[in-house]
Amino acid sequence: MAQIGTDEVETKPSRIQLRNRRKILDAALEVFSAHGFRGATLDQIARAAGLSKPNILYYFAGKEEIHVTLLTALMDTWLAPMREIDPDGEPLEELLRYVKRKLEMSRAYPRESRLFANEILQGAPMIGEGLKADLKPLVDRTAQLIERWASEGRLKPVDGRHLIFSIWATTQHYADFDAQVQVLMSGRDVHGDAVSFLDTLYRRMLAV
Amino acid sequence: MAQIGTDEVETKPSRIQLRNRRKILDAALEVFSAHGFRGATLDQIARAAGLSKPNILYYFAGKEEIHVTLLTALMDTWLAPMREIDPDGEPLEELLRYVKRKLEMSRAYPRESRLFANEILQGAPMIGEGLKADLKPLVDRTAQLIERWASEGRLKPVDGRHLIFSIWATTQHYADFDAQVQVLMSGRDVHGDAVSFLDTLYRRMLAV
DNA sequence: CACCTTTTTTACCAAATGGTAAAAGTACGA
DNA sequence: TCGTACTTTTACCATTTGGTAAAAAAGGTG
């Protein structure tokens, strides 16, 4: 039995299990991020993973479990850049580096960004609790840090939380609204220009 | 016959037709914006509209037609603020007013914002052409105007298109990611603070 | 190789869902 | 008020979809 229930002794997953679970999650990321949770079907995921539908359900208890697994794993990766803001670093540099890394993640992992955007758009039905437990403390702490920096005169005065929102919004926009961006930027070097635009935006906003 | 086919003579819609079409579109906006196109069902829409499912299909040819009708009607409203930027006005004032109006629309019409976000996230399958036809010319023109203002020294140098993206992203964020914003801003006056934050952000970005 | 466990396939199913046909009911002008 | 056109309901239907049972196949180990 591969599935791990609440009462069962957790045994090491075999090589086959690791390989197939990874294939399923990768396929599911592709399908969920393109069509949303309700728009995605197990058949699509199965086809993308190169497995049969019942075989998928041998590894995961159901469609929702696949989605939740993806989201919780994603949460960590997604928050990593914010965790790496150094309270002892130079404030402006730290924040501009954060912006750059978020933008780079948007470019490198657009599927993950869209998966997350879809979930939040629907009201975060599956990770609402995760937001409260993981995201909120980190944001509270970072917002406080930013405002302390500002009060020490090392940044212009700024609302920490809204600054964070604006950084998320402007960086993720390039992944989440890519269909629109592509129409409006046909042929241009979107990413390169975005890097320097956002650097300018937040430099003018924050530099004392 | 209420449905208007390509070959039919267009006759004036009766009072009943107007009332019911409006009820259906309002219900559909509610349901589509909350669950996305695929996540919404005709039964949900029918229930929200207080009509039976076949009755809905008497007024609209199908689920997709309802969605397309909503999106095309929305497009106009959505672009109105950008159309109202006055080329002969004071540049900074015009742009700050645009930001304010976009933010106000996010607050007053979150369902519309989410409907749009959902569609773009899925790759704009239904209004891709509308984007090219309506949105692109307007954005091209506005971006040019902004860059002319900048070259005349009335704004700091700025990439017009990326400025527009950032305005869209930061303002719509409050509607589209409301579930997240609520978790992180429990109890605060989100809108009021957002207004002054964005005013500051774009003032520092653009004021010469 | 023989045996037991893990993995995969085949054949299903029940519910949900978009949609239709046609009868019944309603509004309204002549 | 009669007749016609418009509107609504009832009773369906075909497909899709998430999920299951159980047999078959494949792995691995003594």
Side-chain angles (χ1 to χ4, degrees):
Chain A
M1 204 185 292
Q3 285 144 49
I4 294 159
T6 37
D7 289 349
E8 282 166 49
V9 179
E10 213 164 309
T11 172
K12 266 178 190 159
S14 71
R15 225 164 295 142
I16 296 178
Q17 279 187 45
L18 281 175
R19 177 170 50 85
N20 282 347
R21 281 182 69 100
R22 200 149 4 104
K23 281 206 293 186
I24 292 167
L25 288 175
D26 191 64
L29 174 60
E30 186 70 29
V31 176
F32 280 136
S33 68
H35 306 288
F37 179 72
R38 298 269 327 247
T41 71
L42 283 176
D43 284 293
Q44 285 175 299
I45 296 172
R47 208 176 321 125
L51 299 171
S52 69
K53 184 169 65 174
N55 205 176
I56 299 267
L57 292 165
Y58 173 72
Y59 290 103
F60 290 90
K63 186 182 174 184
E64 188 165 323
E65 195 184 283
I66 304 176
H67 198 236
V68 171
T69 303
L70 277 175
L71 284 171
T72 50
L74 173 59
M75 191 83 105
D76 245 28
T77 323
W78 225 234
L79 295 183
M82 184 175 282
R83 288 210 182 83
E84 283 166 31
I85 294 175
D86 180 3
D88 301 322
E90 207 287 303
L92 183 62
E93 257 176 56
E94 288 298 318
L95 290 175
L96 290 179
R97 194 164 57 90
Y98 174 60
V99 170
K100 204 167 184 175
R101 293 205 52 193
K102 281 296 280 179
L103 185 59
E104 178 55 27
M105 286 188 68
S106 243
R107 200 198 52 128
Y109 306 106
R111 299 181 306 177
E112 281 82 350
S113 188
R114 283 189 208 115
L115 183 78
F116 199 79
N118 256 308
E119 168 72 4
I120 304 292
L121 250 185
Q122 312 307 319
M126 300 188 197
I127 52 157
E129 290 311 306
L131 292 182
K132 271 181 209 132
D134 300 340
L135 182 61
K136 190 163 190 310
L138 179 61
V139 168
D140 285 347
R141 175 157 60 83
T142 307
Q144 261 190 297
L145 173 65
I146 292 169
E147 290 178 7
R148 205 194 70 215
W149 279 340
S151 76
E152 291 169 356
R154 304 170 74 191
L155 295 173
K156 286 216 188 88
V158 67
D159 182 315
R161 277 182 188 75
H162 287 275
L163 178 69
I164 292 169
F165 291 160
S166 80
I167 292 172
W168 288 346
T170 50
T171 55
Q172 290 171 12
H173 187 86
Y174 292 99
D176 302 344
F177 288 65
D178 180 63
Q180 197 180 52
V181 171
Q182 285 310 316
V183 167
L184 300 175
M185 298 288 283
S186 41
R188 289 184 180 73
D189 171 23
V190 178
H191 182 71
D193 289 353
V195 169
S196 64
F197 172 82
L198 291 180
D199 186 87
T200 302
L201 177 64
Y202 289 107
R203 196 177 288 279
R204 290 179 187 165
M205 174 70 182
L206 298 170
V208 285
Chain B
M1 201 185 294
Q3 285 145 52
I4 294 159
T6 35
D7 289 348
E8 283 167 47
V9 178
E10 212 162 310
T11 173
K12 263 179 193 163
S14 72
R15 229 166 295 137
I16 297 178
Q17 278 186 46
L18 279 175
R19 178 171 49 85
N20 282 346
R21 281 183 68 101
R22 199 151 4 105
K23 281 207 292 186
I24 291 167
L25 289 174
D26 191 64
L29 174 60
E30 186 70 29
V31 176
F32 280 137
S33 68
H35 306 288
F37 179 72
R38 299 270 327 249
T41 72
L42 283 176
D43 284 293
Q44 285 176 300
I45 296 171
R47 209 176 320 127
L51 299 171
S52 68
K53 186 168 63 173
N55 206 176
I56 300 268
L57 293 165
Y58 173 72
Y59 290 102
F60 290 91
K63 186 182 173 184
E64 187 165 324
E65 195 184 283
I66 303 176
H67 198 237
V68 170
T69 303
L70 278 176
L71 284 171
T72 51
L74 173 57
M75 191 83 105
D76 245 27
T77 324
W78 224 234
L79 296 183
M82 184 176 281
R83 288 210 183 84
E84 283 166 31
I85 295 176
D86 180 3
D88 301 321
E90 207 286 304
L92 183 62
E93 258 176 55
E94 289 298 320
L95 290 175
L96 290 179
R97 194 165 56 91
Y98 174 60
V99 170
K100 204 168 184 175
R101 292 205 53 193
K102 279 296 279 180
L103 184 59
E104 178 54 28
M105 287 189 68
S106 242
R107 199 199 53 127
Y109 307 105
R111 299 180 307 176
E112 282 82 349
S113 187
R114 283 188 209 116
L115 183 78
F116 200 79
N118 255 309
E119 168 72 3
I120 304 292
L121 250 186
Q122 312 308 318
M126 300 188 197
I127 51 156
E129 290 312 306
L131 292 182
K132 272 182 208 132
D134 299 340
L135 182 61
K136 190 164 190 309
L138 179 61
V139 168
D140 285 348
R141 173 158 60 83
T142 309
Q144 262 190 296
L145 173 65
I146 292 169
E147 289 177 7
R148 204 195 70 213
W149 278 340
S151 75
E152 293 169 356
R154 304 169 74 191
L155 295 174
K156 286 216 189 87
V158 66
D159 182 315
R161 277 182 189 75
H162 287 275
L163 179 69
I164 291 169
F165 291 160
S166 81
I167 292 173
W168 289 345
T170 50
T171 55
Q172 291 171 11
H173 187 85
Y174 291 100
D176 303 344
F177 287 67
D178 180 62
Q180 197 181 51
V181 170
Q182 286 309 317
V183 167
L184 300 175
M185 298 289 283
S186 40
R188 289 183 181 75
D189 171 24
V190 178
H191 183 71
D193 289 354
V195 169
S196 65
F197 172 81
L198 291 180
D199 187 87
T200 302
L201 177 63
Y202 289 107
R203 196 177 288 279
R204 290 179 187 165
M205 175 70 182
L206 298 170
V208 283

